[in-house]
Amino acid sequence: MPESVPGAAYVLGALAVMFVVTVALRAAPFLALSALKNSAFVDFLGRTMPAGVMVILVMYTLRDVGQSTWLPATAGLAGTIAVHLWRRNAALSTVVGTGLYLFASAFWT
């Protein structure tokens, strides 16, 4: 066998390290969750993150609105706001707004 091919002990050692790291990374969220179960900070994030994500999506959509793309951006934003006010469902309003934006951009850009 050529010198550049690692031996069986090296391969088994590498696999053992990968196994331990993978198991540790899979267990870490559960350990952190039990430690942060009654945290006021986690409760605050749970209340404010949906609105924060929506603001970031709006800013991302409107960042490069030019002469030819203002109509699809406006249609998507208006559709998102309307569906969210109507149903109070962030997932539904995001999907509808994205669909309206894609539909409008197919015809008006």
Side-chain angles (χ1 to χ4, degrees):
M1 221 177 246
E3 294 275 335
S4 62
V5 177
Y10 181 84
V11 172
L12 290 175
L15 288 172
V17 169
M18 286 185 247
F19 173 77
V20 169
V21 169
T22 300
V23 169
L25 288 174
R26 302 265 175 143
F30 297 104
L31 296 173
L33 183 62
S34 66
L36 297 173
K37 194 168 193 171
N38 296 322
S39 172
F41 181 67
V42 173
D43 289 339
F44 169 76
L45 287 178
R47 286 191 315 271
T48 58
M49 282 300 288
V53 168
M54 293 301 281
V55 168
I56 290 170
L57 288 172
V58 168
M59 297 306 291
Y60 180 78
T61 301
L62 299 179
R63 78 184 196 292
D64 288 330
V65 173
Q67 291 289 342
S68 64
T69 58
W70 69 269
L71 188 59
T74 305
L77 185 60
T80 301
I81 292 170
V83 170
H84 190 71
L85 291 175
W86 174 49
R87 301 296 287 183
R88 299 282 184 201
N89 186 334
L92 179 64
S93 59
T94 302
V95 168
V96 169
T98 302
L100 283 172
Y101 177 79
L102 292 174
F103 180 77
S105 64
F107 291 104
W108 286 295
T109 56

